[in-house]
């Protein structure tokens, strides 16, 4: 069976883990964590980057930093992973879902303004498949209504919007290093602070509400409990693994892009014939080949495609079950727009395998796709 995902190891991870072991510093914020922070800040231009144990944790930190409270509302797409919503629901907020664009499947910026009420406190966008949302328009809406913009850039490392790295365009951004993402550490993530506004408090919230980081920099002579916080930092072993991945981030992205291009070229004729629709990447969005998906005619076509692919030994998957109709979505959220695009595409989308090392199987995958589509 050709799996849908296979975590890629660069070959450096174990040597770095051995080094972390040798350093004798195993808790968070040791030399490897600092190295990852420096890499992220240099790569993205963020004022501050902080490793977390997941993107979920980074989003929870964002909700704390924005002082989200019961009764507040946060606008987001329904076509996303549950963590986007949970981060704000855990603070007592109501999540307000807005439909996505037909082309990129990202939040439809033209529907955001109508979903804003006197209770709205933030806009949380999701860069689906590592392709940017329309950030100019979204930042403009944020500025007009005094609403911070959070980027769930879980899928967006190494992608840009008009040249700007994803995760650093809104006030706060969150990356994921989960093993299903492009750059991995098993579980892992990072919070990015675009400017100084949230940087200092982010350090405190991440370190159990203490000013421990300042203490270690010699900026205060003792550390104490100064804010509400939790423990969001990963240990050094995780950071060492991640550092091994970061060294090869450019090569990893290039190899993924080459596979993505193979798919895209291959399915051009099927799209022209109207049998499927391929992903859309606007010219001003540089993507990272996080995902290759197809939109099939309907749910029935998708169900049989997945079954046929399985019979041909290729694993394919679908997502997301729209949040607005899920049990917790009904309890904690409401719709701020119609949901026709979300409901339509979530029934028809199928994801194809895309991982570094798939090169030697890609011909077999493409052949299986052709056979599964033509029945
Ligand atoms: C993967 C993902 C997350 C969660 O990432 P974790 O690191 O597993 O917490 C959140 N949002 C989106 C859009 C994702 O794809």
């Amino acid at each position: 069976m050709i799996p849908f995902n296979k975590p890629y190891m660069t070959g450096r991870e174990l040597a770095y883990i051995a080094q972390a072991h040798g350093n004798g510093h195993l808790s968070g914020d040791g030399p490897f964590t600092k190295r990852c922070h420096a890499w992220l800040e240099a790569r993205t231009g963020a004022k501050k980057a902080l490793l977390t144990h997941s993107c979920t944790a980074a989003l929870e930190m964002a909700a704390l930093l924005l002082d989200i409270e019961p009764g507040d509302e946060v606008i987001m797409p329904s076509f996303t992973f549950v963590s986007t919503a949970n981060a704000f629901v855990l603070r007592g907020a109501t999540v307000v879902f807005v439909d996505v664009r037909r082309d990129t499947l990202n939040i439809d910026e033209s529907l955001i303004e109508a979903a804003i009420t006197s209770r709205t406190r933030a806009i949380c966008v999701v860069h689906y498949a590592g392709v940017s949302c329309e950030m100019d328009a979204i930042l403009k809406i944020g500025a007009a209504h005094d609403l911070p913009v959070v980027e769930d850039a879980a899928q967006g490392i190494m992608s840009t919007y008009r040249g700007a790295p994803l995760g650093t365009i809104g006030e706060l951004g969150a990356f994921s290093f989960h093993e299903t993402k492009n750059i991995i550490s098993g579980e892992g993530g990072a919070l990015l602070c675009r400017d100084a506004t949230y940087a200092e408090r982010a350090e405190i919230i991440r370190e159990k509400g203490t000013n421990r980081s300042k203490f270690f920099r010699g900026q205060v002579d003792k550390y104490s409990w100064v804010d509400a916080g939790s423990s969001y930092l990963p240990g050094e072993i995780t950071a060492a693994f991640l550092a091994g991945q970061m060294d090869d981030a450019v090569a990893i992205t290039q190899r993924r892009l080459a596979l993505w291009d193979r798919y895209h070229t291959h399915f051009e004729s099927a799209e022209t014939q109207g049998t499927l629709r391929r992903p859309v990447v606007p010219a001003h969005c540089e993507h990272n080949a996080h995902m290759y998906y197809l939109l099939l005619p309907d749910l029935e076509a998708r169900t049989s495609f997945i079954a046929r692919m399985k019979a041909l030994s290729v694993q394919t998957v679908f997502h997301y079950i729209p949040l607005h109709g899920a049990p917790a979505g009904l309890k904690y959220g409401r719709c701020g727009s119609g949901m026709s695009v979300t409901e339509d595409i979530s029934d028809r989308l199928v994801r194809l395998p895309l991982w570094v090392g798939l090169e030697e199987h890609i011909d077999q995958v493409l052949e299986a796709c052709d056979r599964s589509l033509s029945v």
Side-chain angles (χ1 to χ4, degrees):
M1 189 67 130
I2 296 172
F4 166 69
N5 183 58
K6 190 172 167 191
Y8 171 69
M9 317 281 173
T10 66
R12 300 168 204 275
E13 293 86 353
L14 280 179
Y16 284 179
I17 287 171
Q19 223 175 302
H21 179 270
N23 287 341
H25 181 132
L26 296 173
S27 62
D29 283 340
F32 279 106
T33 304
K34 289 195 173 79
R35 177 174 167 159
C36 293
H37 288 170
W39 186 92
L40 284 166
E41 285 165 11
R43 185 85 222 169
T44 66
K47 172 77 181 169
K48 186 157 253 351
L50 293 166
L51 291 194
T52 56
H53 46 72
S54 62
C55 177
T56 303
L59 291 166
E60 287 176 21
M61 285 181 66
L64 284 164
L65 284 164
L66 298 178
D67 292 315
I68 301 298
E69 288 175 0
D72 291 350
E73 292 179 355
V74 178
I75 292 173
M76 64 182 59
S78 168
F79 188 66
T80 183
F81 188 59
V82 295
S83 296
T84 320
N86 270 322
F88 300 99
V89 164
L90 282 169
R91 311 263 35 99
T94 298
V95 286
V96 177
F97 301 116
V98 166
D99 209 357
V100 291
R101 296 170 58 107
R102 248 183 210 288
D103 53 1
T104 56
L105 315 187
N106 280 325
I107 192 166
D108 186 339
E109 67 282 359
S110 72
L111 301 175
I112 293 176
E113 214 141 25
I116 294 174
T117 71
S118 59
R119 291 167 176 264
T120 310
R121 292 292 170 267
I123 301 167
C124 185
V125 302
V126 179
H127 302 300
Y128 182 67
V131 177
S132 181
C133 298
E134 285 306 323
M135 295 309 289
D136 281 347
I138 292 164
L139 288 192
K140 215 168 136 193
I141 296 165
H145 297 268
D146 202 15
L147 297 172
V149 175
V150 178
E151 297 173 71
D152 179 342
Q155 305 172 9
I157 196 160
M158 311 291 281
S159 293
T160 62
Y161 170 77
R162 300 193 193 283
L166 301 193
T168 61
I169 302 167
E171 277 80 351
L172 295 164
F175 282 152
S176 173
F177 304 120
H178 186 264
E179 75 167 34
T180 51
K181 303 303 200 286
N182 290 20
I183 307 297
I184 62 173
S185 59
E187 302 284 348
L191 178 75
L192 303 178
C193 302
R194 183 185 67 195
D195 47 46
T197 315
Y198 297 102
E200 187 172 317
R201 199 166 157 232
E203 262 186 0
I204 291 168
I205 287 175
R206 177 170 164 274
E207 265 282 22
K208 301 99 182 164
T210 70
N211 55 359
R212 196 160 182 263
S213 301
K214 268 188 161 176
F215 172 70
F216 281 121
R217 284 197 298 267
Q219 292 165 332
V220 289
D221 59 9
K222 60 176 168 11
Y223 81 84
S224 56
W225 184 29
V226 293
D227 201 344
S230 187
S231 181
Y232 289 117
L233 68 174
E236 274 287 282
I237 300 291
T238 299
F241 190 105
L242 184 60
Q245 293 265 318
M246 284 175 166
D247 283 357
D248 280 3
V250 172
I252 289 170
T253 309
Q254 279 168 354
R255 285 182 68 178
R256 295 185 71 102
L257 282 165
L259 286 162
W260 195 98
D261 288 341
R262 274 296 301 279
Y263 278 131
H264 209 56
T265 306
H266 185 83
F267 292 117
E268 187 177 355
S269 57
E271 185 177 67
T272 309
Q273 288 157 22
T275 14
L276 54 79
R277 210 207 80 189
R278 298 179 300 162
V280 174
V281 181
H284 54 283
C285 302
E286 194 188 354
H287 77 115
N288 60 359
H290 172 61
M291 197 190 296
Y292 200 86
Y293 65 84
L294 297 172
L295 288 172
L296 300 178
D298 52 33
L299 178 59
E300 200 191 334
R302 181 178 73 182
T303 307
S304 48
F305 177 82
I306 291 174
R308 284 176 196 138
M309 290 294 281
K310 191 177 167 201
L312 295 167
S313 300
V314 181
Q315 187 191 18
T316 57
V317 301
F318 65 83
H319 72 182
Y320 296 105
I321 309 289
L323 298 185
H324 69 274
L330 295 170
K331 185 169 175 192
Y332 299 116
R334 68 175 174 81
C335 291
S337 79
M339 282 293 154
S340 57
V341 180
T342 298
E343 281 168 6
D344 173 40
I345 56 109
S346 63
D347 273 352
R348 302 195 287 123
L349 186 142
V350 62
R351 302 173 64 185
L352 304 181
L354 179 45
W355 38 272
V356 176
L358 183 69
E359 290 90 341
E360 56 179 297
H361 309 287
I362 187 74
D363 291 325
Q364 189 192 330
V365 175
L366 292 174
E367 200 196 315
C369 288
D370 290 346
R371 286 176 61 189
S372 301
L373 287 166
S374 69
V375 181

